[in-house]
Amino acid sequence: MKKNICFIMLLIFSLTLISCSHIEDINGPDDYSLATFKDEDLLGGIHSCSEMGVIESSSKILDKATGTYKVSKISGMTEIEEYRSNKDIITFTIEVKCEAGNALVVVISNNEIIKKIEANQSLTFEVSNNDESYRIFLVGESAKVTVKYNIES
């Protein structure tokens, strides 16, 4: 009986590891753009993600959120921040540094892509508040990436 339980647990663990495989970087080491994910995938909420070596820090004080999300290898899509405000204008500053693989940061609100920030870019932009939450997602394909963000309203 114990052997059967151990075998079943080992099998489940093995299948879990197989399902967490990374997405291969198919467009070469010097091209950091996504090759596998399309806009409809991003809006469809593909949240299955395999991550290794994650370091995350964030802070929310009044009408400001800041943070850093650093991962040594990510494949898939993960939410790194959700922000909501009652102010009219929201200002985002997002920096994406990618050392390997492919990466993209997207800001989504009301099931619409508000902004895309490509790998190795920094962008500051303002949006008129739609009274919905704004969610920042990191999408990676075997990416070693650091995202720094600052949101103010």
Side-chain angles (χ1 to χ4, degrees), residues 33-68:
S33 62
L34 294 181
T36 304
F37 292 100
K38 307 294 180 231
D39 284 357
E40 54 270 11
D41 298 327
L42 305 178
L43 291 174
I46 295 177
H47 297 280
S48 60
C49 187
S50 180
E51 298 176 283
M52 293 172 33
V54 177
I55 299 173
E56 179 179 12
S57 67
S58 63
S59 118
K60 289 183 182 180
I61 301 171
L62 297 173
D63 294 326
K64 185 175 183 176
T66 59
T68 300

Side-chain angles (χ1 to χ4, degrees), residues 12-128:
I12 290 171
F13 180 73
S14 298
L15 290 175
T16 303
L17 288 177
I18 291 169
S19 68
C20 293
S21 64
H22 283 279
I23 299 168
E24 184 180 351
D25 177 5
I26 60 173
N27 55 357
D30 296 326
D31 185 348
Y32 297 105
S33 62
L34 294 181
T36 304
F37 292 100
K38 307 294 180 231
D39 284 357
E40 54 270 11
D41 298 327
L42 305 178
L43 291 174
I46 295 177
H47 297 280
S48 60
C49 187
S50 180
E51 298 176 283
M52 293 172 33
V54 177
I55 299 173
E56 179 179 12
S57 67
S58 63
S59 118
K60 289 183 182 180
I61 301 171
L62 297 173
D63 294 326
K64 185 175 183 176
T66 59
T68 300
Y69 193 88
K70 185 174 185 174
V71 60
S72 61
K73 192 170 188 179
I74 180 173
S75 288
M77 181 173 177
T78 189
E79 182 176 325
I80 59 175
E81 184 64 65
E82 183 173 2
Y83 186 82
R84 188 178 206 120
S85 174
N86 59 0
K87 305 287 175 117
D88 292 337
I89 301 292
I90 301 172
T91 303
F92 292 83
T93 301
I94 301 172
E95 178 184 8
V96 183
K97 289 186 179 180
C98 186
E99 296 178 45
N102 306 322
L104 175 73
V105 170
V106 291
V107 178
I108 296 176
S109 181
N110 204 19
N111 203 31
E112 179 181 334
I113 296 174
I114 304 299
K115 194 64 78 173
K116 294 180 183 179
I117 301 90
E118 302 285 338
N120 300 316
Q121 291 188 3
S122 181
L123 184 64
T124 298
F125 61 96
E126 291 183 345
V127 296
S128 296

